[in-house]
Amino acid sequence: MTLQDQRVVVLGGTSGIGLATAQLAAGQGASVVVASSNSSSVRRALASLPRPATGQVVDLTDSRAVTAFFASLEPFDHLVFTAGEALTLLDVGAMDLARARQAFELRYFGALGAVSAAVPRLRPGGSVVLTTGAAGDRPGPGWSVAASICGAMDSLVRALAVELAPLRVNAVKPGVVRTPLWQDALDYGETADRLPVRRVGEPEDIAAAYVYLMNQPYATGSIVSVDGGHVLV
């Protein structure tokens, strides 16, 4: 199956995993819309995507802006949410609750708000693909907030799959990926040596899972892990 003649909206689709997903979907014949809060990032993304791709600047933590964004779109087939910010690693012994709440604002509440606003525009037979993370299954010290977000996303996917049926709702669970969001948090070489695949992920590795879930008509409530074996070691 391919995404030929389908419309795909990728929130956070201007860099990293999101951009790789938009590029792969466009390569399968989809018409892609990308959105980000950074105008220069939107321009760079559009330069790498084929026509008729379009892009908009949207603050995904602003519910009014998100509602207006979806109201401006024609009906579409798939929503992908990959938006995120630099990882929030916080020591429980010196917890900054304001930062912890802020970390949930985009990754969890941003995703939930986007789905709520997008549902009226999603065509029958369409899907939503959200993003969780391997930290929820195998956290380390300092990962209490990040792991909690992942756990919340896992539960959200299953609940939405039931509530929004027959619309399909799934998620991708990446491990360590070579993107700007990870570069200051981990040593890629050290991490790669510990993984069974002996390398960290590339955005294209993870993008393939999002496109698979868009194309798979019998998958809903599913969370596809693409983590290089992170949970095994």
Side-chain angles (χ1 to χ4, degrees), residues 6 27 29 50 61-63 76 95 102 119 142 145 156 167 187 192 196 209 214 224:
Q6 297 188 46
T61 65
D62 182 337
S63 60
F76 60 96
M95 179 59 65
Q102 186 178 28
V119 164
V145 173
L156 177 63
L167 182 73
D187 181 315
M214 285 186 270
V224 175

Side-chain angles (χ1 to χ4, degrees), residues 176-196:
V176 179
V177 185
R178 196 185 307 276
T179 73
L181 297 185
W182 285 96
Q183 63 187 7
D184 295 326
L186 295 172
D187 181 315
Y188 287 142
E190 180 182 325
T191 301
D193 289 341
R194 294 199 306 268
L195 293 174

Side-chain angles (χ1 to χ4, degrees), residues 195-222:
L195 293 174
V197 296
R198 298 295 188 270
R199 68 177 180 88
V200 299
E202 301 295 339
E204 295 76 15
D205 296 323
I206 316 303
Y210 289 89
V211 172
Y212 164 77
L213 287 170
M214 285 186 270
N215 276 321
Q216 173 49 262
Y218 200 55
T220 195
S222 296

Side-chain angles (χ1 to χ4, degrees), residues 49-64:
L49 290 166
R51 292 184 179 184
T54 61
Q56 291 193 38
V57 177
V58 184
D59 179 354
L60 297 174
T61 65
D62 182 337
S63 60
R64 291 184 179 180

